[in-house]
C-alpha cells in the first residue's frame, strides 16, 4: 500500500521553542492531509484538516496560532508547534488521503504516518 | 453527531484463543466502518473496512461484519497470536473524504 512518512520520529525540546513536524506522502499525491494528537492510552483527536494550497481547517478548541499548518505541495504538510510548553508533549500523527481510480469508481483510503513523539521539557 | 464506542480494555488472552472486540456506532447516515491497529510506538495501520451494510471486511485472519440493524462492527479472530498484541481502534467515516471518528481503542495483549 501507499506510504506516509513523518519526520522527525522523536523530538525533545525546551519550553518556548518551536518544533516543525513534516508529513510526506511518498508514492501518491494528497490534496488532503489530517493531523491528529494522541495522549497516552487514549484515542486520536483530530486537530485539523490540511488542504493543499489553502488554509487548514481547525477543530474546535485547537489554537490556530499555536499549531501552524502548511500544505504547500501535494506531498508535504507541516505542523509547527509554536512556543511549545510541557502540556504540548504528545504523540502527533498525520494521515494522507489517497483517491484511486477503480472499475467501481473512485476509492478513497487514508494512510497514516508512523507518528512523531514530542517531549517538551 | 457521530460517535464510536468500543468495549473497554485491556483484553488479555492466551495464544490461540478466540478474540472479539465489540464496536458500536452512532451516525446520521450510512458510514463506512474501519478497524485500525496500532503497534507499540507506531502509527495506525488499516486492518480492514466495510463500506455498506452486511459487508464483511477481512484481513490477516481478522473479520468484522457491518451490521446496520445493530449499528455494530465487532472485530473477531479465531486464533490470536502473540504478534497480534496491539491497540485496536474502530472508526467510522460518514462520507468519502470526510473525517474519521475513532473509538477509544482497545489494548489487546496475547500471552504465549
Amino acid at each position: 500500500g501507499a506510504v506516509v512518512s513523518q519526520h522527525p520520529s522523536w523530538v525533545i525540546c525546551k519550553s518556548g521553542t518551536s518544533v516543525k513536524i513534516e508529513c510526506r506522502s511518498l508514492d501518491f499525491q494528497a490534496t488532503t492531509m489530517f493531523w491528529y494528537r494522541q495522549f497516552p492510552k487514549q484515542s486520536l483527536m483530530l486537530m485539523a484538516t490540511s488542504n493543499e494550497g489553502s488554509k487548514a481547517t481547525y477543530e474546535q478548541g485547537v489554537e490556530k496560532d499555536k499549531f501552524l499548518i502548511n500544505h504547500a505541495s501535494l506531498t508535504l504538510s507541516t505542523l509547527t508547534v509554536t512556543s511549545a510548553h510541557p502540556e504540548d508533549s504528545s504523540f502527533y500523527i498525520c494521515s494522507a488521503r489517497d483517491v484511486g481510480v477503480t472499475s467501481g469508481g473512485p476509492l478513497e483510503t487514508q494512510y497514516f504516518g508512523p507518528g512523531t513523539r514530542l517531549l517538551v521539557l | 453527531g457521530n460517535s464510536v464506542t468500543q468495549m473497554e480494555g485491556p483484553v488479555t488472552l492466551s495464544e490461540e484463543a478466540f478474540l472479539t472486540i465489540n464496536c458500536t456506532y452512532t451516525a446520521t447516515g450510512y458510514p463506512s466502518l474501519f478497524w485500525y491497529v496500532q503497534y507499540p510506538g507506531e502509527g495506525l495501520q488499516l486492518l480492514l473496512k466495510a463500506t455498506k451494510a452486511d459487508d464483511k471486511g477481512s484481513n490477516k485472519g481478522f473479520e468484522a461484519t457491518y451490521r446496520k440493524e445493530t449499528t455494530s462492527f465487532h472485530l473477531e479472530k479465531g486464533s490470536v497470536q502473540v504478534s497480534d498484541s496491539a491497540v485496536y481502534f474502530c472508526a467510522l467515516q460518514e462520507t468519502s473524504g470526510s473525517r474519521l471518528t475513532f473509538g477509544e481503542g482497545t489494548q489487546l495483549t496475547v500471552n504465549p
Side-chain angles (χ1 to χ4, degrees):
Chain A
V3 177
V4 174
S5 69
Q6 281 185 239
H7 178 79
S9 55
W10 268 96
V11 58
I12 302 174
C13 68
K14 292 182 179 180
S15 185
T17 60
S18 294
V19 175
K20 180 185 284 189
I21 303 170
E22 294 183 347
C23 177
R24 293 182 186 273
S25 57
L26 297 186
D27 48 5
F28 66 98
Q29 295 183 330
T31 56
T32 304
M33 294 184 176
F34 301 88
W35 286 97
Y36 297 85
R37 184 173 181 176
Q38 185 183 30
F39 291 103
K41 298 186 179 181
Q42 294 188 25
S43 189
L44 280 73
M45 180 192 80
L46 180 65
M47 300 174 65
T49 302
S50 171
N51 300 297
E52 187 267 337
S54 65
K55 291 184 178 180
T57 303
Y58 290 81
E59 295 299 303
Q60 191 173 13
V62 177
E63 299 176 58
K64 299 178 183 180
D65 296 331
K66 173 75 172 174
F67 299 99
L68 299 179
I69 291 174
N70 183 278
H71 194 155
S73 79
L74 289 171
T75 59
L76 173 64
S77 175
T78 60
L79 169 68
T80 302
V81 183
T82 62
S83 186
H85 291 282
E87 59 267 27
D88 298 324
S89 299
S90 190
F91 193 48
Y92 293 87
I93 302 175
C94 74
S95 71
R97 189 164 72 99
D98 180 27
V99 182
V101 177
T102 71
S103 58
L107 178 65
E108 180 227 322
T109 306
Q110 278 194 39
Y111 295 97
F112 284 79
T116 296
R117 195 164 300 280
L118 170 64
L119 177 61
V120 184
L121 302 176
Chain B
N2 299 335
S3 67
V4 177
T5 303
Q6 289 181 231
M7 67 183 289
E8 286 189 26
V11 174
T12 302
L13 297 172
S14 298
E15 206 165 20
E16 299 183 2
F18 184 86
L19 169 71
T20 299
I21 301 178
N22 290 338
C23 171
T24 57
Y25 67 90
T26 302
T28 54
Y30 300 95
S32 295
L33 301 173
F34 305 82
W35 276 101
Y36 284 87
V37 58
Q38 184 179 33
Y39 297 101
E42 299 182 13
L44 272 66
Q45 299 175 28
L46 177 64
L47 181 60
L48 54 84
K49 69 178 183 181
T51 58
K52 60 183 187 297
D54 299 327
D55 268 3
K56 177 185 284 187
S58 61
N59 185 27
K60 299 181 181 180
F62 291 90
E63 292 183 341
T65 301
Y66 190 141
R67 300 288 187 200
K68 181 171 175 292
E69 63 275 14
T70 54
T71 61
S72 65
F73 193 54
H74 305 321
L75 182 68
E76 297 182 337
K77 186 173 185 181
S79 177
V80 293
Q81 306 300 313
V82 173
S83 56
D84 294 327
S85 298
V87 181
Y88 292 81
F89 291 95
C90 186
L92 72 80
Q93 184 181 46
E94 187 153 347
T95 58
S96 179
S98 68
R99 58 190 292 177
L100 285 166
T101 300
F102 287 90
E104 305 90 343
T106 301
Q107 171 77 54
L108 169 65
T109 301
V110 181
N111 295 318

